[in-house]
Amino acid sequence: MCNGVADQQHLPMAEVNWVRLLLGSLVSLGLLAVTGCGARGLVNTPSSSSASIPAPSASSLSPSASAGEISNANTISVSAGSTTPGVNVTVSAASGTENATSLGTMADGFAANTGVIVHQASTSTVVLFGTGLSGAMSVTISGPQDIGVSNLRSVQAKDGKPGVAFDAVIGSSTALGARTVYLKATNNDITAFTGGLEVQP
């Protein structure tokens, strides 16, 4: 022994075994404590308070219970070949035939069902072809209002399919990304070419 510190090699064998047993027991207890804590994790224990949580109050913005309810009184059963007394059924006219199916630019000389890429700081003549399209329609482009549209006119594809053309002015700060082109007919029918006009640098 030197300075009160025992060297393990000079301890008697019984004391060495006793020290090992003590250290092993402490390590085992430590592992059990860690395992026990780990199994519980960070779970909040319920408070000893017996106060219940109040139910949320109804919002004044909630619709009234009678608004827009559908009851069985609105259900009408009909059978083929028979009449149902007291019921008038009106069938609306078929929806419009406008359908934009391809988009391109005059510079490319063709339009495709995948759309077209236009670039910032440029002017392109955009063309769309499809059933029922004409220069009498109005054009709207989705996204920020940073693409100028002018000179809308009727055009025709080589295969005779009707279409529209317009000049699109894309500024140097026009937002990048795909835009949808909406065409609205005079009878308010709308067709859209979704994501067909992609702005790139």
Side-chain angles (χ1 to χ4, degrees):
M1 241 194 254
C2 180
N3 295 330
V5 177
D7 184 358
Q8 185 177 348
Q9 294 174 357
H10 298 98
L11 291 175
M13 191 52 106
E15 288 182 34
V16 170
N17 288 338
W18 181 81
V19 171
R20 286 182 181 164
L21 180 64
L22 180 63
L23 287 176
S25 298
L26 290 175
V27 169
S28 297
L29 286 175
L31 287 175
L32 287 174
V34 170
T35 303
C37 290
R40 287 193 303 267
L42 298 175
V43 177
N44 291 330
T45 56
S47 64
S48 59
S49 171
S50 61
S52 62
I53 299 172
S57 59
S59 169
S60 61
L61 300 177
S62 300
S64 63
S66 61
E69 284 187 10
I70 297 175
S71 65
N72 286 338
N74 294 334
T75 303
I76 301 168
S77 297
V78 295
S79 300
S82 65
T83 60
T84 305
V87 176
N88 291 322
V89 177
T90 304
V91 178
S92 302
S95 61
T97 58
E98 297 84 0
N99 188 20
T101 57
S102 55
L103 187 147
T105 63
M106 286 283 196
D108 290 338
F110 68 92
N113 62 358
T114 55
V116 71
I117 294 172
V118 292
H119 297 279
Q120 289 176 322
S122 69
T123 300
S124 297
T125 300
V126 177
V127 292
L128 290 101
F129 295 103
T131 309
L133 304 188
S134 76
M137 305 177 91
S138 61
V139 176
T140 305
I141 298 175
S142 68
Q145 301 300 304
D146 54 3
I147 297 178
V149 174
S150 64
N151 196 20
L152 180 65
R153 56 203 181 272
S154 295
V155 292
Q156 190 173 29
K158 290 180 181 177
D159 64 359
K161 189 174 285 188
V164 297
F166 62 89
D167 297 333
V169 179
I170 297 98
S172 58
S173 60
T174 295
L176 302 177
R179 307 289 185 95
T180 297
V181 179
Y182 296 96
L183 299 172
K184 183 177 180 181
T186 54
N187 64 354
N188 294 326
D189 286 343
I190 296 175
T191 182
F193 199 97
T194 306
L197 192 67
E198 183 178 353
V199 180
Q200 291 188 1

